[in-house]
PDB file of all heavy atoms in Angstrom:
ATOM      1  N   GLU A  59      -0.229 -61.399   5.233  1.00 98.00           N
ATOM      2  CA  GLU A  59       0.526 -61.738   6.443  1.00 98.00           C
ATOM      3  C   GLU A  59      -0.292 -61.210   7.612  1.00 98.00           C
ATOM      4  O   GLU A  59      -0.784 -60.078   7.566  1.00 98.00           O
ATOM      5  CB  GLU A  59       1.869 -61.017   6.382  1.00 98.00           C
ATOM      6  CG  GLU A  59       2.871 -61.460   7.401  1.00 98.00           C
ATOM      7  CD  GLU A  59       4.106 -60.566   7.303  1.00 98.00           C
ATOM      8  OE1 GLU A  59       4.990 -60.869   6.489  1.00 98.00           O
ATOM      9  OE2 GLU A  59       4.140 -59.563   8.042  1.00 98.00           O
ATOM     10  N   TRP A  60      -0.476 -62.011   8.623  1.00 98.00           N
ATOM     11  CA  TRP A  60      -1.357 -61.615   9.726  1.00 98.00           C
ATOM     12  C   TRP A  60      -0.632 -61.787  11.050  1.00 98.00           C
ATOM     13  O   TRP A  60      -0.426 -62.898  11.524  1.00 98.00           O
ATOM     14  CB  TRP A  60      -2.625 -62.472   9.662  1.00 98.00           C
ATOM     15  CG  TRP A  60      -3.709 -62.227  10.686  1.00 98.00           C
ATOM     16  CD1 TRP A  60      -4.417 -63.201  11.335  1.00 98.00           C
ATOM     17  CD2 TRP A  60      -4.251 -60.989  11.161  1.00 98.00           C
ATOM     18  NE1 TRP A  60      -5.359 -62.642  12.169  1.00 98.00           N
ATOM     19  CE2 TRP A  60      -5.270 -61.279  12.086  1.00 98.00           C
ATOM     20  CE3 TRP A  60      -3.951 -59.639  10.898  1.00 98.00           C
ATOM     21  CZ2 TRP A  60      -6.007 -60.292  12.742  1.00 98.00           C
ATOM     22  CZ3 TRP A  60      -4.680 -58.649  11.560  1.00 98.00           C
ATOM     23  CH2 TRP A  60      -5.695 -58.989  12.463  1.00 98.00           C
ATOM     24  N   ASN A  61      -0.174 -60.670  11.584  1.00 97.00           N
ATOM     25  CA  ASN A  61       0.390 -60.655  12.932  1.00 97.00           C
ATOM     26  C   ASN A  61      -0.606 -59.908  13.787  1.00 97.00           C
ATOM     27  O   ASN A  61      -0.517 -58.697  13.903  1.00 97.00           O
ATOM     28  CB  ASN A  61       1.735 -59.902  12.965  1.00 97.00           C
ATOM     29  CG  ASN A  61       2.830 -60.701  12.339  1.00 97.00           C
ATOM     30  OD1 ASN A  61       2.908 -61.907  12.542  1.00 97.00           O
ATOM     31  ND2 ASN A  61       3.653 -60.040  11.540  1.00 97.00           N
ATOM     32  N   PRO A  62      -1.591 -60.595  14.339  1.00 96.00           N
ATOM     33  CA  PRO A  62      -2.707 -59.900  14.970  1.00 96.00           C
ATOM     34  C   PRO A  62      -2.259 -58.799  15.917  1.00 96.00           C
ATOM     35  O   PRO A  62      -1.348 -59.050  16.713  1.00 96.00           O
ATOM     36  CB  PRO A  62      -3.442 -61.009  15.725  1.00 96.00           C
ATOM     37  CG  PRO A  62      -3.037 -62.278  15.049  1.00 96.00           C
ATOM     38  CD  PRO A  62      -1.663 -62.045  14.511  1.00 96.00           C
ATOM     39  N   PRO A  63      -2.846 -57.609  15.867  1.00 98.00           N
ATOM     40  CA  PRO A  63      -3.887 -57.213  14.927  1.00 98.00           C
ATOM     41  C   PRO A  63      -3.347 -56.427  13.731  1.00 98.00           C
ATOM     42  O   PRO A  63      -3.987 -55.465  13.298  1.00 98.00           O
ATOM     43  CB  PRO A  63      -4.767 -56.320  15.796  1.00 98.00           C
ATOM     44  CG  PRO A  63      -3.776 -55.584  16.681  1.00 98.00           C
ATOM     45  CD  PRO A  63      -2.630 -56.535  16.894  1.00 98.00           C
ATOM     46  N   HIS A  64      -2.215 -56.822  13.206  1.00 98.00           N
ATOM     47  CA  HIS A  64      -1.670 -56.088  12.063  1.00 98.00           C
ATOM     48  C   HIS A  64      -1.637 -56.980  10.829  1.00 98.00           C
ATOM     49  O   HIS A  64      -1.068 -58.077  10.870  1.00 98.00           O
ATOM     50  CB  HIS A  64      -0.269 -55.558  12.370  1.00 98.00           C
ATOM     51  CG  HIS A  64      -0.287 -54.496  13.433  1.00 98.00           C
ATOM     52  ND1 HIS A  64       0.201 -54.697  14.699  1.00 98.00           N
ATOM     53  CD2 HIS A  64      -0.781 -53.238  13.414  1.00 98.00           C
ATOM     54  CE1 HIS A  64       0.010 -53.601  15.420  1.00 98.00           C
ATOM     55  NE2 HIS A  64      -0.586 -52.706  14.662  1.00 98.00           N
ATOM     56  N   ALA A  65      -2.239 -56.475   9.764  1.00 98.00           N
ATOM     57  CA  ALA A  65      -2.273 -57.245   8.517  1.00 98.00           C
ATOM     58  C   ALA A  65      -1.460 -56.535   7.450  1.00 98.00           C
ATOM     59  O   ALA A  65      -1.337 -55.304   7.459  1.00 98.00           O
ATOM     60  CB  ALA A  65      -3.710 -57.388   8.029  1.00 98.00           C
ATOM     61  N   LYS A  66      -0.900 -57.326   6.553  1.00 98.00           N
ATOM     62  CA  LYS A  66      -0.256 -56.768   5.355  1.00 98.00           C
ATOM     63  C   LYS A  66      -0.772 -57.562   4.175  1.00 98.00           C
ATOM     64  O   LYS A  66      -1.037 -58.769   4.299  1.00 98.00           O
ATOM     65  CB  LYS A  66       1.261 -56.902   5.447  1.00 98.00           C
ATOM     66  CG  LYS A  66       1.870 -55.994   6.497  1.00 98.00           C
ATOM     67  CD  LYS A  66       3.383 -56.059   6.471  1.00 98.00           C
ATOM     68  CE  LYS A  66       3.945 -55.055   7.480  1.00 98.00           C
ATOM     69  NZ  LYS A  66       5.367 -55.286   7.732  1.00 98.00           N
ATOM     70  N   TRP A  67      -0.917 -56.890   3.044  1.00 99.00           N
ATOM     71  CA  TRP A  67      -1.414 -57.583   1.852  1.00 99.00           C
ATOM     72  C   TRP A  67      -0.487 -57.326   0.664  1.00 99.00           C
ATOM     73  O   TRP A  67       0.045 -56.237   0.503  1.00 99.00           O
ATOM     74  CB  TRP A  67      -2.831 -57.111   1.511  1.00 99.00           C
ATOM     75  CG  TRP A  67      -3.848 -57.748   2.415  1.00 99.00           C
ATOM     76  CD1 TRP A  67      -4.212 -57.298   3.660  1.00 99.00           C
ATOM     77  CD2 TRP A  67      -4.593 -58.955   2.181  1.00 99.00           C
ATOM     78  NE1 TRP A  67      -5.152 -58.149   4.207  1.00 99.00           N
ATOM     79  CE2 TRP A  67      -5.410 -59.164   3.319  1.00 99.00           C
ATOM     80  CE3 TRP A  67      -4.653 -59.868   1.120  1.00 99.00           C
ATOM     81  CZ2 TRP A  67      -6.277 -60.264   3.419  1.00 99.00           C
ATOM     82  CZ3 TRP A  67      -5.529 -60.945   1.223  1.00 99.00           C
ATOM     83  CH2 TRP A  67      -6.326 -61.139   2.364  1.00 99.00           C
ATOM     84  N   PHE A  68      -0.332 -58.361  -0.118  1.00 99.00           N
ATOM     85  CA  PHE A  68       0.425 -58.292  -1.377  1.00 99.00           C
ATOM     86  C   PHE A  68       1.848 -57.794  -1.114  1.00 99.00           C
ATOM     87  O   PHE A  68       2.335 -56.855  -1.749  1.00 99.00           O
ATOM     88  CB  PHE A  68      -0.332 -57.436  -2.414  1.00 99.00           C
ATOM     89  CG  PHE A  68      -1.772 -57.876  -2.544  1.00 99.00           C
ATOM     90  CD1 PHE A  68      -2.822 -57.025  -2.196  1.00 99.00           C
ATOM     91  CD2 PHE A  68      -2.075 -59.157  -2.974  1.00 99.00           C
ATOM     92  CE1 PHE A  68      -4.140 -57.459  -2.277  1.00 99.00           C
ATOM     93  CE2 PHE A  68      -3.402 -59.599  -3.061  1.00 99.00           C
ATOM     94  CZ  PHE A  68      -4.435 -58.747  -2.710  1.00 99.00           C
ATOM     95  N   LEU A  69       2.476 -58.450  -0.160  1.00 98.00           N
ATOM     96  CA  LEU A  69       3.815 -58.033   0.276  1.00 98.00           C
ATOM     97  C   LEU A  69       4.832 -58.201  -0.845  1.00 98.00           C
ATOM     98  O   LEU A  69       4.845 -59.234  -1.538  1.00 98.00           O
ATOM     99  CB  LEU A  69       4.259 -58.876   1.475  1.00 98.00           C
ATOM    100  CG  LEU A  69       3.514 -58.626   2.777  1.00 98.00           C
ATOM    101  CD1 LEU A  69       2.271 -59.485   2.876  1.00 98.00           C
ATOM    102  CD2 LEU A  69       4.429 -58.898   3.960  1.00 98.00           C
ATOM    103  N   GLY A  70       5.655 -57.200  -0.967  1.00 98.00           N
ATOM    104  CA  GLY A  70       6.677 -57.232  -2.008  1.00 98.00           C
ATOM    105  C   GLY A  70       6.167 -56.657  -3.324  1.00 98.00           C
ATOM    106  O   GLY A  70       6.950 -56.351  -4.214  1.00 98.00           O
ATOM    107  N   GLY A  71       4.848 -56.490  -3.444  1.00 98.00           N
ATOM    108  CA  GLY A  71       4.283 -55.937  -4.678  1.00 98.00           C
ATOM    109  C   GLY A  71       4.474 -54.427  -4.746  1.00 98.00           C
ATOM    110  O   GLY A  71       4.561 -53.758  -3.714  1.00 98.00           O
ATOM    111  N   GLN A  72       4.550 -53.927  -5.973  1.00 98.00           N
ATOM    112  CA  GLN A  72       4.654 -52.473  -6.160  1.00 98.00           C
ATOM    113  C   GLN A  72       3.640 -52.035  -7.209  1.00 98.00           C
ATOM    114  O   GLN A  72       3.432 -52.722  -8.221  1.00 98.00           O
ATOM    115  CB  GLN A  72       6.051 -52.092  -6.624  1.00 98.00           C
ATOM    116  CG  GLN A  72       7.087 -52.261  -5.518  1.00 98.00           C
ATOM    117  CD  GLN A  72       8.448 -51.742  -5.931  1.00 98.00           C
ATOM    118  OE1 GLN A  72       8.746 -51.658  -7.113  1.00 98.00           O
ATOM    119  NE2 GLN A  72       9.268 -51.421  -4.956  1.00 98.00           N
ATOM    120  N   LEU A  73       3.046 -50.888  -6.965  1.00 98.00           N
ATOM    121  CA  LEU A  73       2.050 -50.363  -7.913  1.00 98.00           C
ATOM    122  C   LEU A  73       1.836 -48.880  -7.646  1.00 98.00           C
ATOM    123  O   LEU A  73       2.353 -48.342  -6.658  1.00 98.00           O
ATOM    124  CB  LEU A  73       0.722 -51.105  -7.785  1.00 98.00           C
ATOM    125  CG  LEU A  73      -0.173 -50.797  -6.570  1.00 98.00           C
ATOM    126  CD1 LEU A  73      -1.563 -51.371  -6.796  1.00 98.00           C
ATOM    127  CD2 LEU A  73       0.406 -51.351  -5.282  1.00 98.00           C
ATOM    128  N   ASN A  74       1.102 -48.239  -8.533  1.00 99.00           N
ATOM    129  CA  ASN A  74       0.726 -46.850  -8.302  1.00 99.00           C
ATOM    130  C   ASN A  74      -0.775 -46.711  -8.560  1.00 99.00           C
ATOM    131  O   ASN A  74      -1.285 -47.156  -9.588  1.00 99.00           O
ATOM    132  CB  ASN A  74       1.510 -45.903  -9.212  1.00 99.00           C
ATOM    133  CG  ASN A  74       1.194 -44.451  -8.893  1.00 99.00           C
ATOM    134  OD1 ASN A  74       0.147 -43.947  -9.282  1.00 99.00           O
ATOM    135  ND2 ASN A  74       2.085 -43.792  -8.174  1.00 99.00           N
ATOM    136  N   VAL A  75      -1.456 -46.120  -7.604  1.00 99.00           N
ATOM    137  CA  VAL A  75      -2.917 -46.027  -7.688  1.00 99.00           C
ATOM    138  C   VAL A  75      -3.350 -45.140  -8.861  1.00 99.00           C
ATOM    139  O   VAL A  75      -4.301 -45.454  -9.573  1.00 99.00           O
ATOM    140  CB  VAL A  75      -3.483 -45.507  -6.340  1.00 99.00           C
ATOM    141  CG1 VAL A  75      -4.940 -45.105  -6.477  1.00 99.00           C
ATOM    142  CG2 VAL A  75      -3.333 -46.585  -5.265  1.00 99.00           C
ATOM    143  N   SER A  76      -2.651 -44.042  -9.097  1.00 98.00           N
ATOM    144  CA  SER A  76      -3.079 -43.154 -10.192  1.00 98.00           C
ATOM    145  C   SER A  76      -2.831 -43.801 -11.555  1.00 98.00           C
ATOM    146  O   SER A  76      -3.580 -43.565 -12.501  1.00 98.00           O
ATOM    147  CB  SER A  76      -2.430 -41.769 -10.073  1.00 98.00           C
ATOM    148  OG  SER A  76      -1.230 -41.706 -10.772  1.00 98.00           O
ATOM    149  N   VAL A  77      -1.828 -44.650 -11.653  1.00 99.00           N
ATOM    150  CA  VAL A  77      -1.617 -45.389 -12.907  1.00 99.00           C
ATOM    151  C   VAL A  77      -2.789 -46.334 -13.145  1.00 99.00           C
ATOM    152  O   VAL A  77      -3.315 -46.459 -14.256  1.00 99.00           O
ATOM    153  CB  VAL A  77      -0.287 -46.189 -12.848  1.00 99.00           C
ATOM    154  CG1 VAL A  77      -0.191 -47.191 -13.988  1.00 99.00           C
ATOM    155  CG2 VAL A  77       0.901 -45.229 -12.854  1.00 99.00           C
ATOM    156  N   ASN A  78      -3.254 -46.952 -12.063  1.00 99.00           N
ATOM    157  CA  ASN A  78      -4.388 -47.868 -12.185  1.00 99.00           C
ATOM    158  C   ASN A  78      -5.691 -47.140 -12.489  1.00 99.00           C
ATOM    159  O   ASN A  78      -6.582 -47.695 -13.116  1.00 99.00           O
ATOM    160  CB  ASN A  78      -4.520 -48.705 -10.914  1.00 99.00           C
ATOM    161  CG  ASN A  78      -3.614 -49.920 -10.962  1.00 99.00           C
ATOM    162  OD1 ASN A  78      -3.927 -50.889 -11.629  1.00 99.00           O
ATOM    163  ND2 ASN A  78      -2.454 -49.832 -10.308  1.00 99.00           N
ATOM    164  N   CYS A  79      -5.794 -45.895 -12.007  1.00 99.00           N
ATOM    165  CA  CYS A  79      -7.026 -45.144 -12.248  1.00 99.00           C
ATOM    166  C   CYS A  79      -6.982 -44.385 -13.567  1.00 99.00           C
ATOM    167  O   CYS A  79      -8.028 -43.956 -14.054  1.00 99.00           O
ATOM    168  CB  CYS A  79      -7.277 -44.158 -11.108  1.00 99.00           C
ATOM    169  SG  CYS A  79      -7.706 -44.984  -9.566  1.00 99.00           S
ATOM    170  N   LEU A  80      -5.796 -44.144 -14.116  1.00 99.00           N
ATOM    171  CA  LEU A  80      -5.702 -43.276 -15.287  1.00 99.00           C
ATOM    172  C   LEU A  80      -4.891 -43.890 -16.431  1.00 99.00           C
ATOM    173  O   LEU A  80      -5.438 -44.216 -17.483  1.00 99.00           O
ATOM    174  CB  LEU A  80      -5.072 -41.931 -14.884  1.00 99.00           C
ATOM    175  CG  LEU A  80      -5.836 -41.163 -13.805  1.00 99.00           C
ATOM    176  CD1 LEU A  80      -5.001 -40.017 -13.269  1.00 99.00           C
ATOM    177  CD2 LEU A  80      -7.154 -40.637 -14.363  1.00 99.00           C
ATOM    178  N   ASP A  81      -3.597 -44.034 -16.227  1.00 98.00           N
ATOM    179  CA  ASP A  81      -2.708 -44.410 -17.338  1.00 98.00           C
ATOM    180  C   ASP A  81      -3.179 -45.673 -18.055  1.00 98.00           C
ATOM    181  O   ASP A  81      -3.179 -45.751 -19.275  1.00 98.00           O
ATOM    182  CB  ASP A  81      -1.261 -44.628 -16.844  1.00 98.00           C
ATOM    183  CG  ASP A  81      -0.711 -43.422 -16.100  1.00 98.00           C
ATOM    184  OD1 ASP A  81      -1.421 -42.903 -15.211  1.00 98.00           O
ATOM    185  OD2 ASP A  81       0.426 -43.003 -16.381  1.00 98.00           O
ATOM    186  N   ARG A  82      -3.589 -46.670 -17.245  1.00 98.00           N
ATOM    187  CA  ARG A  82      -3.943 -47.935 -17.901  1.00 98.00           C
ATOM    188  C   ARG A  82      -5.193 -47.790 -18.759  1.00 98.00           C
ATOM    189  O   ARG A  82      -5.381 -48.513 -19.728  1.00 98.00           O
ATOM    190  CB  ARG A  82      -4.089 -49.069 -16.899  1.00 98.00           C
ATOM    191  CG  ARG A  82      -5.248 -48.951 -15.953  1.00 98.00           C
ATOM    192  CD  ARG A  82      -5.542 -50.317 -15.373  1.00 98.00           C
ATOM    193  NE  ARG A  82      -6.298 -50.235 -14.141  1.00 98.00           N
ATOM    194  CZ  ARG A  82      -7.015 -51.242 -13.686  1.00 98.00           C
ATOM    195  NH1 ARG A  82      -7.066 -52.387 -14.355  1.00 98.00           N
ATOM    196  NH2 ARG A  82      -7.670 -51.119 -12.549  1.00 98.00           N
ATOM    197  N   HIS A  83      -6.068 -46.836 -18.412  1.00 98.00           N
ATOM    198  CA  HIS A  83      -7.266 -46.638 -19.236  1.00 98.00           C
ATOM    199  C   HIS A  83      -6.944 -45.817 -20.485  1.00 98.00           C
ATOM    200  O   HIS A  83      -7.493 -46.055 -21.555  1.00 98.00           O
ATOM    201  CB  HIS A  83      -8.363 -45.951 -18.435  1.00 98.00           C
ATOM    202  CG  HIS A  83      -8.722 -46.702 -17.183  1.00 98.00           C
ATOM    203  ND1 HIS A  83      -8.981 -48.051 -17.189  1.00 98.00           N
ATOM    204  CD2 HIS A  83      -8.825 -46.298 -15.888  1.00 98.00           C
ATOM    205  CE1 HIS A  83      -9.252 -48.449 -15.949  1.00 98.00           C
ATOM    206  NE2 HIS A  83      -9.144 -47.405 -15.147  1.00 98.00           N
ATOM    207  N   VAL A  84      -6.042 -44.829 -20.297  1.00 98.00           N
ATOM    208  CA  VAL A  84      -5.636 -44.020 -21.458  1.00 98.00           C
ATOM    209  C   VAL A  84      -4.968 -44.934 -22.489  1.00 98.00           C
ATOM    210  O   VAL A  84      -5.283 -44.894 -23.679  1.00 98.00           O
ATOM    211  CB  VAL A  84      -4.669 -42.896 -21.023  1.00 98.00           C
ATOM    212  CG1 VAL A  84      -4.119 -42.148 -22.231  1.00 98.00           C
ATOM    213  CG2 VAL A  84      -5.370 -41.925 -20.068  1.00 98.00           C
ATOM    214  N   GLU A  85      -4.100 -45.803 -21.971  1.00 98.00           N
ATOM    215  CA  GLU A  85      -3.386 -46.712 -22.886  1.00 98.00           C
ATOM    216  C   GLU A  85      -4.288 -47.837 -23.392  1.00 98.00           C
ATOM    217  O   GLU A  85      -4.058 -48.395 -24.458  1.00 98.00           O
ATOM    218  CB  GLU A  85      -2.170 -47.330 -22.168  1.00 98.00           C
ATOM    219  CG  GLU A  85      -1.063 -46.307 -21.952  1.00 98.00           C
ATOM    220  CD  GLU A  85      -0.196 -46.609 -20.731  1.00 98.00           C
ATOM    221  OE1 GLU A  85      -0.210 -47.759 -20.246  1.00 98.00           O
ATOM    222  OE2 GLU A  85       0.481 -45.668 -20.247  1.00 98.00           O
ATOM    223  N   GLY A  86      -5.333 -48.147 -22.623  1.00 98.00           N
ATOM    224  CA  GLY A  86      -6.165 -49.309 -22.960  1.00 98.00           C
ATOM    225  C   GLY A  86      -7.410 -48.976 -23.751  1.00 98.00           C
ATOM    226  O   GLY A  86      -8.370 -49.740 -23.724  1.00 98.00           O
ATOM    227  N   GLY A  87      -7.448 -47.816 -24.422  1.00 98.00           N
ATOM    228  CA  GLY A  87      -8.577 -47.527 -25.316  1.00 98.00           C
ATOM    229  C   GLY A  87      -9.656 -46.629 -24.734  1.00 98.00           C
ATOM    230  O   GLY A  87     -10.674 -46.387 -25.361  1.00 98.00           O
ATOM    231  N   ARG A  88      -9.438 -46.116 -23.509  1.00 98.00           N
ATOM    232  CA  ARG A  88     -10.476 -45.238 -22.953  1.00 98.00           C
ATOM    233  C   ARG A  88     -10.033 -43.771 -22.925  1.00 98.00           C
ATOM    234  O   ARG A  88     -10.633 -42.956 -22.204  1.00 98.00           O
ATOM    235  CB  ARG A  88     -10.838 -45.677 -21.531  1.00 98.00           C
ATOM    236  CG  ARG A  88     -11.534 -47.032 -21.453  1.00 98.00           C
ATOM    237  CD  ARG A  88     -12.064 -47.256 -20.040  1.00 98.00           C
ATOM    238  NE  ARG A  88     -12.782 -48.506 -19.907  1.00 98.00           N
ATOM    239  CZ  ARG A  88     -12.351 -49.557 -19.219  1.00 98.00           C
ATOM    240  NH1 ARG A  88     -11.178 -49.505 -18.602  1.00 98.00           N
ATOM    241  NH2 ARG A  88     -13.078 -50.649 -19.130  1.00 98.00           N
ATOM    242  N   ALA A  89      -9.023 -43.412 -23.695  1.00 98.00           N
ATOM    243  CA  ALA A  89      -8.484 -42.047 -23.637  1.00 98.00           C
ATOM    244  C   ALA A  89      -9.581 -41.001 -23.830  1.00 98.00           C
ATOM    245  O   ALA A  89      -9.611 -39.981 -23.132  1.00 98.00           O
ATOM    246  CB  ALA A  89      -7.390 -41.863 -24.691  1.00 98.00           C
ATOM    247  N   ASP A  90     -10.519 -41.257 -24.749  1.00 98.00           N
ATOM    248  CA  ASP A  90     -11.552 -40.253 -25.038  1.00 98.00           C
ATOM    249  C   ASP A  90     -12.856 -40.493 -24.296  1.00 98.00           C
ATOM    250  O   ASP A  90     -13.850 -39.824 -24.532  1.00 98.00           O
ATOM    251  CB  ASP A  90     -11.815 -40.194 -26.552  1.00 98.00           C
ATOM    252  CG  ASP A  90     -10.547 -39.775 -27.296  1.00 98.00           C
ATOM    253  OD1 ASP A  90      -9.785 -38.966 -26.716  1.00 98.00           O
ATOM    254  OD2 ASP A  90     -10.303 -40.280 -28.411  1.00 98.00           O
ATOM    255  N   LYS A  91     -12.847 -41.474 -23.429  1.00 98.00           N
ATOM    256  CA  LYS A  91     -14.052 -41.744 -22.639  1.00 98.00           C
ATOM    257  C   LYS A  91     -14.141 -40.745 -21.475  1.00 98.00           C
ATOM    258  O   LYS A  91     -13.119 -40.393 -20.881  1.00 98.00           O
ATOM    259  CB  LYS A  91     -13.982 -43.182 -22.088  1.00 98.00           C
ATOM    260  CG  LYS A  91     -15.133 -43.512 -21.172  1.00 98.00           C
ATOM    261  CD  LYS A  91     -15.108 -44.944 -20.660  1.00 98.00           C
ATOM    262  CE  LYS A  91     -16.244 -45.072 -19.626  1.00 98.00           C
ATOM    263  NZ  LYS A  91     -16.412 -46.426 -19.140  1.00 98.00           N
ATOM    264  N   ALA A  92     -15.360 -40.298 -21.145  1.00 98.00           N
ATOM    265  CA  ALA A  92     -15.508 -39.374 -20.013  1.00 98.00           C
ATOM    266  C   ALA A  92     -15.145 -40.098 -18.715  1.00 98.00           C
ATOM    267  O   ALA A  92     -15.671 -41.175 -18.429  1.00 98.00           O
ATOM    268  CB  ALA A  92     -16.937 -38.863 -19.939  1.00 98.00           C
ATOM    269  N   ALA A  93     -14.233 -39.497 -17.961  1.00 99.00           N
ATOM    270  CA  ALA A  93     -13.869 -40.043 -16.649  1.00 99.00           C
ATOM    271  C   ALA A  93     -14.705 -39.345 -15.581  1.00 99.00           C
ATOM    272  O   ALA A  93     -15.328 -39.986 -14.745  1.00 99.00           O
ATOM    273  CB  ALA A  93     -12.381 -39.829 -16.388  1.00 99.00           C
ATOM    274  N   ILE A  94     -14.710 -38.015 -15.627  1.00 99.00           N
ATOM    275  CA  ILE A  94     -15.521 -37.248 -14.666  1.00 99.00           C
ATOM    276  C   ILE A  94     -16.426 -36.291 -15.432  1.00 99.00           C
ATOM    277  O   ILE A  94     -15.962 -35.516 -16.278  1.00 99.00           O
ATOM    278  CB  ILE A  94     -14.623 -36.432 -13.696  1.00 99.00           C
ATOM    279  CG1 ILE A  94     -13.803 -37.377 -12.803  1.00 99.00           C
ATOM    280  CG2 ILE A  94     -15.480 -35.499 -12.832  1.00 99.00           C
ATOM    281  CD1 ILE A  94     -12.912 -36.673 -11.797  1.00 99.00           C
TER     282      ILE A  94
END
Side-chain angles (χ1 to χ4, degrees):
E59 192 185 274
W60 181 222
N61 286 319
H64 293 109
K66 290 185 176 167
W67 282 85
F68 310 116
L69 290 88
Q72 289 186 337
L73 75 167
N74 184 283
V75 167
S76 91
V77 168
N78 275 283
C79 291
L80 301 168
D81 305 48
R82 67 161 160 158
H83 303 311
V84 174
E85 288 152 18
R88 293 190 178 110
D90 298 326
K91 175 178 174 175
I94 294 181

